[in-house]
Amino acid sequence: MIGSSGQSSAASPLLETKCYIPRRRPTLVPRPRLMDRLDRGAEGKLTLVSAPAGFGKTTLLAEWAGAVAAGRQPTAWLSLYQSDNNPAIFWAYVIAALRTVRPEVGESALSLLRSPQPPPIELVLTGLINEINAVQNNFALILDDYHMIEAEPVHSAVAFLLDHLPPQMHLVLATRADPPLPLARLRGRGELTELRASDLRFTPDEAVAFLNEVMGLGLSGAEVAALETRTEGWIAGLQLAALSMQGRDDVSGFIRAFAGDNRYIVDYLVEEVLQRQPQHARSFLLQTSILDRLSGPLCDAVTGRQDGRALLEALEHGNLFLVPLDDKRHWFRYHHLFADVLRAHATEAHPDYIPTLHRRASEWCERNGLPAEAVRHALAARDFERAADLLELEGRAILTGRQDDTFLRWLQALPDELFRVRPVLGVYYALVLLPSDLKAAEARLRDAERLLDATSERTEAPSVETVVVDAEAFQSLPGTIAIVRAYLAGALGDVPGIVGHARRALDLLSEGDHLWRGAAGALLGLAYWTSGDLEAAYQSFVEGWASLRMTGESSNELSGAFLLANIRTAQGRLHEAARIYEQALKLAAGLGEPRPPATADLYVGLSELCLEHHDLEGALWCLQRSRDVGEHGGMPEHRHRWYVAMARIQEARGDLERALDLLDEAERRYIRSPDPEVRPVAAAKARIWVRQGRLAEALGWARERGLSVDDDLSYLREFEHITLARVLIARYKRDRVESSVQEAIGLLERLRNAAEEGGRMGSVIEVLALQALAHAVQGDIAGALAPLERALTLAEPEDCARVFVDEWEAMRDLVRHAAAQGVASSYTQRLLSAFDNAPGPASAHPAGLTEPLTAREVEVVRLVVAGMRNQEIADHLFISLSTVKRHIANAYGKLGVSHRTEAIVRANELDLL
């Protein structure tokens, strides 16, 4: 059973040891001053207990957790180790700890962590946070030994959790060093409680109670004061001193001699403790010091004795730095400081014997279902052959669990020559090296292919030159190699290579290999999508996701639906895309609350469709639902898309400044993914610059991107080239340079042909509309109506309205001409109605200003005057803090003010409020 101060649930022995709150001893020194600090701190977000080793952090928090439990507030506990630096492992253990007190939370997050391609960790946390928000009662989570965490991704994710921490939850960190978290911000907001070494060290009264009542020494006040002064209240130092004094006749002499540098004092005391132990106990301590966790059977396997459990009980009863890790007293660990010293002594005393101890531990862990521990001890023993065997057998499970960084670290510890004779392990190594080190991945893959080719040329079983431990993985190796080859091709931008290798993988892999067959189908879909063959991409995704669905991961199905609907949208098949979104959302609803984070993506896609139908209210509602599910636009795989969608809504409302702010935020939040980025945010910004008349910036964007009307066309750059045509038409309107509009017309004709050939009817409609505008800007209305009529004919069945309404007056006049000639009469009338309700670009021109404020600057000034802080304005407007500061600086400059008070006076003078 996993122990907690709230309730218990069944779990694995490993989780039991990590989530067990160390038992409180009835003889502990009462520390009401610290208990009160912890109680008050629970009203905020974070309590940080930060001090060097031996200051009683774990003991204090265990005592507090027990006291809190008595008051009916559950407390979850997680003990951290070096191996927990993998984000997936760390958060899986955090969720396991939370479930000891709140069994109803974390199921969706665990499912995402175990998925073949888990989303970014913030998105996993978003779902977890939403689940915690549904919890009724308060609870605390204690992360003990947080200094073991060194991985920046884990620190970033913990910071994300703190930023969005539900009010029901309180986080406590016990650590030897301050973590790289936003402590200053939390401190400034009054959300941080800190207990430092100066707080934790024993007071003189507490030192008396500890030495005389707990340790039974009967020291005088002067003797206690001398020890307390020389240890500066350091609890471990006092405990080590007390252990050394037990049984001594000349206690006063020992205390008088107790002086000097703290490091040497500790070394001396530990020597005294070790030397005073019986030989069999001292030998046991040194031999078992290699273990992070100790149990009776494991200790017996390492020492070769049969009294492990009895010795552990004796050490615990003797208060000799042994910490229980479960309620049944099956698992223990040494106090970290004591363990460090024991290991140092063991290494110095028996350096040649340490590998044997590690090898014994590895064998026992393998037999008892602890593969990660088995690997770690094999590596520590430098038994690389054994470690390689274990990693080959566990490789697929490790990859499926997305523990790539841990796997890579273990593989990097092995000698290179092992991979030259182990094809299965070599392929796994190549896979986890992608995409960070393509050259090394290629080398590993070639070694594996050479071995496989050599083996296939022989009729007998593989020779001793080829080492195979997992025969099943070896049989499927050609298909696995093809998958890795496809990934390599994708990393190099070789679309034909992706297709060829992915197809080969499908030919080679068995029908029951759902994970790899699903990956091959998805790779094919991405290749076709990137090249612009949308129908082939759609069919490949359908087949790939059908295979992945067999793995039982619902998030795969929802993510697949999002991609399929995106392709249908690009094809101009909006109604079918809407059905895909709606069916997927229905599936998500059936999964219960909280919804899987991928649900947020689906709402963003549906919002985009609403906007295409000129349903601004529906588009906004969908984005609000996306926020509710995805926590302020934090999408699982496409976080920037929320901001792009909101920018388009603001553009439709005529607020171009706010649209640009949102696109800036989208750029900051964009995370590169395997999906082709066919609508780059920078191009969307260039389109708004064109509408604002900021043609120099739009032309600068085109030059920066190296765009030309003579470029070879590709789907990946189609959106950019259409944007270039818009820039050229705008330049003709401003400068009347005939070549600009002719270049635009020629480019648009080529783009239309390419889009039609690829079945991308969404692009075809937009290009036809731009062709109409290009003719109209030259005064050729008759020439404009031909492409416009075809665009309207294609748009009407799918109700594509936004592509026309976005062009404002110029397109409105053309649609009126088309309506007068009876073109798509019912549809043109609906468009004209939409034009009448569409606002133009917003601006602010209060009298008395040389340079007018933009609508966004007016909005920011009003919020500043209302008393909102910069970060509150950023949160309110969904923009970054730096963008808020830029708007304030621009607005203050135009108003001629330098601070808020002056801004209030000036804003009132100009009637801006």
Side-chain angles (χ1 to χ4, degrees):
M1 305 296 288
I2 297 181
S4 76
S5 65
Q7 57 193 89
S8 302
S9 60
S12 70
L14 183 56
L15 284 179
E16 287 182 5
T17 66
K18 294 177 71 64
C19 301
Y20 174 74
I21 299 177
R23 177 175 291 180
R24 297 174 294 121
R25 296 181 181 276
T27 54
L28 286 175
V29 175
R31 312 194 77 184
R33 62 187 178 86
L34 298 181
M35 300 294 278
D36 290 342
R37 290 274 301 279
L38 290 170
D39 287 341
R40 292 195 302 271
E43 299 173 5
K45 283 189 174 184
L46 174 66
T47 293
L48 179 69
V49 184
S50 180
F55 272 89
K57 300 181 290 293
T58 299
T59 301
L60 173 67
L61 290 176
E63 175 77 11
W64 179 71
V68 170
R72 303 301 185 199
Q73 177 175 313
T75 301
W77 184 287
L78 178 61
S79 299
L80 296 170
Y81 298 88
Q82 186 70 37
S83 58
D84 297 332
N85 275 276
N86 178 289
I89 293 175
F90 176 91
W91 289 107
Y93 284 142
V94 167
I95 293 168
L98 290 174
R99 288 165 71 89
T100 65
V101 296
R102 291 289 179 253
E104 68 272 25
V105 305
E107 189 62 35
S108 175
L110 282 175
S111 177
L112 289 173
L113 287 171
R114 295 166 181 162
S115 63
Q117 292 183 326
I121 200 67
E122 300 119 14
L123 310 172
V124 176
L125 292 181
T126 294
L128 179 63
I129 290 166
N130 288 336
E131 290 186 68
I132 294 172
N133 271 317
V135 172
Q136 295 298 317
N137 300 320
N138 294 343
F139 67 95
L141 168 63
I142 297 173
L143 300 182
D144 194 25
D145 290 333
Y146 190 79
H147 56 270
M148 291 290 185
I149 301 303
E150 301 171 346
E152 193 277 334
V154 175
H155 292 311
S156 295
V158 171
F160 179 89
L161 175 63
L162 283 169
D163 283 342
H164 303 85
L165 197 72
Q168 305 94 312
M169 180 176 172
H170 178 66
L171 183 63
V172 182
L173 301 183
T175 176
R176 293 183 184 178
D178 282 7
L181 298 174
L183 301 179
R185 187 171 73 221
L186 292 168
R187 190 179 296 121
R189 295 176 177 176
E191 297 172 336
L192 172 66
T193 295
E194 298 173 84
L195 294 181
R196 302 286 180 175
S198 58
D199 304 306
L200 296 174
R201 60 171 48 103
F202 275 158
T203 64
D205 288 343
E206 289 170 341
V208 170
F210 174 75
L211 292 169
N212 289 341
E213 297 175 19
V214 176
M215 303 303 294
L217 292 175
L219 302 178
S220 68
E223 290 170 333
V224 172
L227 280 176
E228 196 275 332
T229 298
R230 288 167 183 163
T231 60
E232 298 184 25
W234 181 45
I235 299 171
L238 286 170
Q239 185 177 17
L240 289 167
L243 289 170
S244 297
M245 286 186 286
Q246 285 179 338
R248 279 184 177 272
D249 295 329
D250 186 12
V251 171
S252 296
F254 174 86
I255 293 174
R256 285 193 300 271
F258 186 69
D261 183 80
N262 185 69
R263 183 182 63 192
Y264 296 111
I265 293 171
V266 172
D267 287 345
Y268 173 76
L269 291 175
V270 173
E271 288 286 354
E272 285 286 307
V273 171
L274 284 175
Q275 289 177 2
R276 294 173 69 86
Q277 297 301 312
Q279 177 58 40
H280 73 284
R282 185 161 65 247
S283 175
F284 178 85
L285 288 169
L286 295 177
Q287 288 179 322
T288 58
S289 67
I290 66 159
L291 302 171
D292 289 335
R293 305 175 183 88
L294 305 95
S295 70
L298 175 55
C299 291
D300 289 344
V302 170
T303 63
R305 300 159 51 147
Q306 300 298 319
D307 58 352
R309 182 172 181 79
L311 276 170
L312 289 173
E313 291 177 354
L315 291 173
E316 185 192 12
H317 292 152
N319 200 25
L320 201 63
F321 301 102
L322 196 66
V323 180
L325 295 176
D326 61 54
D327 212 15
K328 299 176 181 177
R329 291 304 200 267
H330 287 166
W331 288 92
F332 299 84
R333 68 166 174 84
Y334 290 123
H335 182 284
H336 295 313
L337 179 64
F338 191 50
D340 291 341
V341 175
L342 287 177
R343 290 186 189 113
H345 279 271
T347 301
E348 182 180 354
H350 308 289
D352 298 331
Y353 192 42
I354 300 300
T356 299
L357 299 176
H358 279 295
R359 192 174 298 111
R360 292 173 181 173
S362 177
E363 292 169 355
W364 187 91
C365 290
E366 181 189 11
R367 291 194 303 270
N368 288 272
L370 296 172
E373 295 294 306
V375 170
R376 189 185 68 78
H377 283 294
L379 290 172
R382 301 188 66 79
D383 189 345
F384 298 125
E385 292 285 348
R386 173 175 178 75
D389 289 350
L390 291 167
L391 288 172
E392 182 170 326
L393 290 170
E394 294 296 324
R396 184 182 175 101
I398 296 171
L399 290 169
T400 301
R402 302 304 299 167
Q403 300 176 35
D404 293 15
D405 52 350
T406 301
F407 200 13
L408 179 60
R409 186 169 64 251
W410 284 338
L411 292 171
Q412 288 173 330
L414 299 177
D416 283 352
E417 56 265 23
L418 286 181
F419 299 102
R420 299 192 182 101
V421 296
R422 292 174 177 263
V424 174
L425 204 59
V427 171
Y428 289 159
Y429 200 175
L431 193 58
V432 295
L433 282 167
L434 292 173
S436 59
D437 194 340
L438 301 183
K439 184 177 180 180
E442 175 67 34
R444 295 302 176 204
L445 204 54
R446 285 184 178 176
D447 285 340
E449 289 170 330
R450 175 180 53 79
L451 288 170
L452 195 62
D453 290 343
T455 303
S456 64
E457 293 172 0
R458 295 189 293 265
T459 57
E460 67 273 12
S463 70
V464 293
E465 298 176 357
T466 303
V467 178
V468 175
V469 180
D470 188 340
E472 184 177 350
F474 182 75
Q475 290 300 317
S476 64
L477 200 57
T480 313
I481 288 175
I483 289 288
V484 182
R485 280 283 173 209
Y487 275 117
L488 266 173
L492 297 171
D494 178 9
V495 174
I498 300 174
V499 174
H501 292 301
R503 284 177 173 169
R504 173 171 168 76
L506 289 172
D507 290 338
L508 294 170
L509 293 166
S510 68
E511 291 294 329
D513 197 340
H514 302 303
L515 178 63
W516 291 123
R517 289 187 68 84
L523 283 165
L524 275 176
L526 290 172
Y528 292 135
W529 192 0
T530 301
S531 62
D533 190 349
L534 300 188
E535 190 56 35
Y538 186 89
Q539 295 305 323
S540 292
F541 274 125
V542 167
E543 294 172 8
W545 293 119
S547 185
L548 288 174
R549 190 180 299 121
M550 300 296 291
T551 66
E553 292 290 343
S554 59
S555 59
N556 286 335
E557 191 161 353
L558 298 182
S559 298
F562 179 71
L563 296 178
L564 293 175
N566 271 263
I567 293 175
R568 285 299 191 234
T569 300
Q571 291 176 306
R573 298 162 69 167
L574 305 189
H575 295 317
E576 188 174 347
R579 283 195 296 272
I580 294 172
Y581 284 132
E582 289 162 0
Q583 289 170 2
L585 287 169
K586 183 177 181 180
L587 170 64
L591 297 174
E593 295 289 349
R595 307 290 171 81
T599 311
D601 276 331
L602 299 172
Y603 277 115
V604 171
L606 201 55
S607 171
E608 293 167 343
L609 290 184
C610 289
L611 188 61
E612 292 299 329
H613 298 320
H614 193 55
D615 178 8
L616 270 65
E617 184 178 342
L620 272 173
W621 181 88
C622 288
L623 287 187
Q624 181 60 49
R625 287 293 297 133
S626 178
R627 280 187 62 209
D628 293 342
V629 174
E631 188 62 28
H632 298 289
M635 315 305 172
E637 296 177 3
H638 312 275
R639 288 176 287 177
H640 73 294
R641 285 275 292 267
W642 190 96
Y643 291 91
V644 173
M646 183 61 83
R648 290 203 64 207
I649 292 173
Q650 298 307 322
E651 182 184 0
R653 289 173 157 180
D655 191 345
L656 300 184
E657 281 295 324
R658 187 169 186 185
L660 279 176
D661 286 344
L662 288 161
L663 290 175
D664 285 340
E665 192 67 21
E667 280 189 311
R668 280 186 284 272
R669 290 178 177 264
Y670 175 70
I671 297 175
R672 186 174 179 82
S673 75
D675 305 342
E677 181 58 17
V678 294
R679 298 175 70 89
V681 176
K685 291 170 65 175
R687 293 183 174 210
I688 293 181
W689 288 334
V690 168
R691 295 186 177 184
Q692 291 178 315
R694 297 161 63 178
L695 198 55
E697 288 156 285
L699 287 167
W701 161 81
R703 284 192 298 271
E704 183 180 326
R705 294 294 298 151
L707 293 169
S708 165
V709 295
D710 299 319
D711 290 339
D712 292 334
L713 301 182
S714 69
Y715 178 53
L716 279 182
R717 306 201 76 181
E718 188 168 82
F719 187 76
E720 290 183 310
H721 279 116
I722 294 174
T723 306
L724 175 62
R726 291 179 176 276
V727 174
L728 292 172
I729 293 170
R731 185 165 68 175
Y732 172 78
K733 288 173 65 177
R734 187 191 68 178
D735 301 334
R736 291 295 164 178
V737 178
E738 185 68 23
S739 60
S740 292
V741 73
Q742 294 305 320
E743 287 178 342
I745 290 173
L747 176 58
L748 288 169
E749 183 66 19
R750 293 173 59 215
L751 286 166
R752 181 180 60 80
N753 291 333
E756 285 180 339
E757 185 178 345
R760 302 186 293 274
M761 301 315 293
S763 294
V764 170
I765 294 170
E766 182 180 5
V767 169
L768 287 168
L770 286 178
Q771 285 181 314
L773 290 175
H775 286 288
V777 78
Q778 300 176 89
D780 181 10
I781 301 303
L785 289 179
L788 179 60
E789 180 176 358
R790 183 159 181 243
L792 292 169
T793 301
L794 292 172
E796 182 175 12
E798 299 292 338
D799 194 19
C800 299
R802 196 70 235 162
V803 68
F804 303 104
V805 179
D806 274 346
E807 306 304 331
W808 292 333
E809 292 90 345
M811 182 58 71
R812 180 194 60 197
D813 294 340
L814 280 179
V815 172
R816 282 175 178 166
H817 281 291
Q821 296 189 17
V823 175
S825 58
S826 61
Y827 190 56
T828 53
Q829 291 303 317
R830 201 180 90 74
L831 285 179
L832 289 173
S833 176
F835 278 116
D836 291 339
N837 295 322
S843 60
H845 298 275
L849 288 182
T850 303
E851 183 181 358
L853 297 176
T854 66
R856 187 59 149 202
E857 289 165 354
V858 170
E859 186 175 19
V860 170
V861 168
R862 287 171 177 165
L863 295 175
V864 169
V865 171
M868 292 181 71
R869 293 178 296 177
N870 290 357
Q871 186 60 58
E872 292 173 329
I873 295 172
D875 295 340
H876 180 74
L877 299 178
F878 310 115
I879 58 178
S880 68
L881 182 60
S882 62
T883 301
V884 172
K885 291 178 179 178
R886 173 168 57 82
H887 283 311
I888 291 174
N890 291 342
Y892 279 14
K894 293 176 182 180
L895 293 171
V897 301
S898 58
H899 53 76
R900 179 174 173 270
T901 303
E902 291 179 350
I904 294 174
V905 173
R906 187 67 170 138
N908 278 303
E909 290 175 352
L910 297 171
D911 198 24
L912 290 177
L913 307 181

